[in-house]
PDB file of all heavy atoms in Angstrom:
ATOM      1  N   SER A  98      10.903  20.385   2.203  1.00 89.00           N
ATOM      2  CA  SER A  98      10.981  19.183   1.445  1.00 89.00           C
ATOM      3  C   SER A  98      12.344  18.774   1.053  1.00 89.00           C
ATOM      4  O   SER A  98      13.148  19.629   0.609  1.00 89.00           O
ATOM      5  CB  SER A  98      10.151  19.423   0.144  1.00 89.00           C
ATOM      6  OG  SER A  98      10.327  18.471  -0.788  1.00 89.00           O
ATOM      7  N   LEU A  99      12.642  17.466   1.040  1.00 88.00           N
ATOM      8  CA  LEU A  99      13.892  17.001   0.728  1.00 88.00           C
ATOM      9  C   LEU A  99      13.913  16.618  -0.822  1.00 88.00           C
ATOM     10  O   LEU A  99      14.922  16.564  -1.489  1.00 88.00           O
ATOM     11  CB  LEU A  99      14.270  15.619   1.339  1.00 88.00           C
ATOM     12  CG  LEU A  99      14.242  15.657   2.883  1.00 88.00           C
ATOM     13  CD1 LEU A  99      14.703  14.218   3.336  1.00 88.00           C
ATOM     14  CD2 LEU A  99      15.286  16.650   3.400  1.00 88.00           C
ATOM     15  N   ALA A 100      12.659  16.455  -1.366  1.00 88.00           N
ATOM     16  CA  ALA A 100      12.465  15.919  -2.736  1.00 88.00           C
ATOM     17  C   ALA A 100      13.133  16.804  -3.815  1.00 88.00           C
ATOM     18  O   ALA A 100      13.433  16.395  -4.852  1.00 88.00           O
ATOM     19  CB  ALA A 100      11.026  15.737  -3.035  1.00 88.00           C
ATOM     20  N   LYS A 101      13.364  18.145  -3.384  1.00 86.00           N
ATOM     21  CA  LYS A 101      13.913  19.043  -4.431  1.00 86.00           C
ATOM     22  C   LYS A 101      15.389  18.520  -4.790  1.00 86.00           C
ATOM     23  O   LYS A 101      15.762  18.689  -5.877  1.00 86.00           O
ATOM     24  CB  LYS A 101      14.020  20.469  -3.771  1.00 86.00           C
ATOM     25  CG  LYS A 101      12.731  21.120  -3.744  1.00 86.00           C
ATOM     26  CD  LYS A 101      12.772  22.475  -3.158  1.00 86.00           C
ATOM     27  CE  LYS A 101      12.812  22.354  -1.539  1.00 86.00           C
ATOM     28  NZ  LYS A 101      12.778  23.659  -0.821  1.00 86.00           N
ATOM     29  N   ASN A 102      16.063  18.004  -3.789  1.00 87.00           N
ATOM     30  CA  ASN A 102      17.506  17.519  -3.996  1.00 87.00           C
ATOM     31  C   ASN A 102      17.584  16.018  -4.134  1.00 87.00           C
ATOM     32  O   ASN A 102      18.516  15.555  -4.708  1.00 87.00           O
ATOM     33  CB  ASN A 102      18.391  18.040  -2.910  1.00 87.00           C
ATOM     34  CG  ASN A 102      18.428  19.427  -2.820  1.00 87.00           C
ATOM     35  OD1 ASN A 102      18.502  20.165  -3.910  1.00 87.00           O
ATOM     36  ND2 ASN A 102      18.485  20.094  -1.698  1.00 87.00           N
ATOM     37  N   ILE A 103      16.647  15.333  -3.485  1.00 90.00           N
ATOM     38  CA  ILE A 103      16.803  13.850  -3.436  1.00 90.00           C
ATOM     39  C   ILE A 103      15.403  13.268  -3.992  1.00 90.00           C
ATOM     40  O   ILE A 103      14.470  13.294  -3.303  1.00 90.00           O
ATOM     41  CB  ILE A 103      17.062  13.367  -1.945  1.00 90.00           C
ATOM     42  CG1 ILE A 103      18.036  14.171  -1.264  1.00 90.00           C
ATOM     43  CG2 ILE A 103      17.413  11.929  -1.960  1.00 90.00           C
ATOM     44  CD1 ILE A 103      18.139  13.926   0.235  1.00 90.00           C
ATOM     45  N   TYR A 104      15.495  12.740  -5.142  1.00 90.00           N
ATOM     46  CA  TYR A 104      14.277  12.219  -5.728  1.00 90.00           C
ATOM     47  C   TYR A 104      13.718  11.078  -4.917  1.00 90.00           C
ATOM     48  O   TYR A 104      12.441  11.000  -4.776  1.00 90.00           O
ATOM     49  CB  TYR A 104      14.501  11.733  -7.220  1.00 90.00           C
ATOM     50  CG  TYR A 104      13.205  11.293  -7.837  1.00 90.00           C
ATOM     51  CD1 TYR A 104      12.371  12.227  -8.516  1.00 90.00           C
ATOM     52  CD2 TYR A 104      12.784  10.004  -7.782  1.00 90.00           C
ATOM     53  CE1 TYR A 104      11.131  11.831  -8.962  1.00 90.00           C
ATOM     54  CE2 TYR A 104      11.586   9.569  -8.343  1.00 90.00           C
ATOM     55  CZ  TYR A 104      10.751  10.565  -8.878  1.00 90.00           C
ATOM     56  OH  TYR A 104       9.598  10.156  -9.479  1.00 90.00           O
ATOM     57  N   SER A 105      14.534  10.193  -4.359  1.00 90.00           N
ATOM     58  CA  SER A 105      14.024   9.102  -3.690  1.00 90.00           C
ATOM     59  C   SER A 105      13.250   9.461  -2.364  1.00 90.00           C
ATOM     60  O   SER A 105      12.623   8.610  -1.724  1.00 90.00           O
ATOM     61  CB  SER A 105      15.135   8.049  -3.332  1.00 90.00           C
ATOM     62  OG  SER A 105      16.256   8.753  -2.696  1.00 90.00           O
ATOM     63  N   ALA A 106      13.222  10.694  -1.971  1.00 90.00           N
ATOM     64  CA  ALA A 106      12.471  11.137  -0.824  1.00 90.00           C
ATOM     65  C   ALA A 106      11.095  11.423  -1.150  1.00 90.00           C
ATOM     66  O   ALA A 106      10.195  11.490  -0.258  1.00 90.00           O
ATOM     67  CB  ALA A 106      13.073  12.230  -0.109  1.00 90.00           C
ATOM     68  N   SER A 107      10.827  11.636  -2.479  1.00 90.00           N
ATOM     69  CA  SER A 107       9.497  12.195  -2.810  1.00 90.00           C
ATOM     70  C   SER A 107       8.300  11.432  -2.469  1.00 90.00           C
ATOM     71  O   SER A 107       7.253  11.941  -1.971  1.00 90.00           O
ATOM     72  CB  SER A 107       9.468  12.696  -4.277  1.00 90.00           C
ATOM     73  OG  SER A 107       9.891  11.605  -5.144  1.00 90.00           O
ATOM     74  N   LEU A 108       8.365  10.112  -2.750  1.00 91.00           N
ATOM     75  CA  LEU A 108       7.166   9.297  -2.370  1.00 91.00           C
ATOM     76  C   LEU A 108       6.903   9.186  -0.881  1.00 91.00           C
ATOM     77  O   LEU A 108       5.792   9.240  -0.426  1.00 91.00           O
ATOM     78  CB  LEU A 108       7.397   7.905  -2.980  1.00 91.00           C
ATOM     79  CG  LEU A 108       7.238   7.743  -4.505  1.00 91.00           C
ATOM     80  CD1 LEU A 108       7.535   6.264  -4.873  1.00 91.00           C
ATOM     81  CD2 LEU A 108       5.836   8.088  -4.922  1.00 91.00           C
ATOM     82  N   PHE A 109       7.977   9.113  -0.137  1.00 93.00           N
ATOM     83  CA  PHE A 109       7.870   9.102   1.304  1.00 93.00           C
ATOM     84  C   PHE A 109       7.252  10.346   1.783  1.00 93.00           C
ATOM     85  O   PHE A 109       6.450  10.340   2.742  1.00 93.00           O
ATOM     86  CB  PHE A 109       9.315   8.909   1.923  1.00 93.00           C
ATOM     87  CG  PHE A 109       9.952   7.583   1.816  1.00 93.00           C
ATOM     88  CD1 PHE A 109      11.050   7.525   1.078  1.00 93.00           C
ATOM     89  CD2 PHE A 109       9.320   6.513   2.375  1.00 93.00           C
ATOM     90  CE1 PHE A 109      11.691   6.215   0.924  1.00 93.00           C
ATOM     91  CE2 PHE A 109       9.899   5.242   2.299  1.00 93.00           C
ATOM     92  CZ  PHE A 109      11.173   5.087   1.559  1.00 93.00           C
ATOM     93  N   GLU A 110       7.556  11.514   1.203  1.00 92.00           N
ATOM     94  CA  GLU A 110       6.922  12.786   1.705  1.00 92.00           C
ATOM     95  C   GLU A 110       5.471  12.800   1.480  1.00 92.00           C
ATOM     96  O   GLU A 110       4.636  13.273   2.267  1.00 92.00           O
ATOM     97  CB  GLU A 110       7.620  13.972   0.995  1.00 92.00           C
ATOM     98  CG  GLU A 110       9.039  14.149   1.474  1.00 92.00           C
ATOM     99  CD  GLU A 110       9.794  15.402   0.984  1.00 92.00           C
ATOM    100  OE1 GLU A 110       9.107  16.084   0.042  1.00 92.00           O
ATOM    101  OE2 GLU A 110      10.889  15.699   1.396  1.00 92.00           O
TER     102      GLU A 110
END
Side-chain angles (χ1 to χ4, degrees):
Chain A
S98 167
L99 305 181
K101 285 176 282 185
N102 297 320
I103 317 172
Y104 183 86
S105 49
S107 48
L108 285 176
F109 287 116
E110 287 185 355

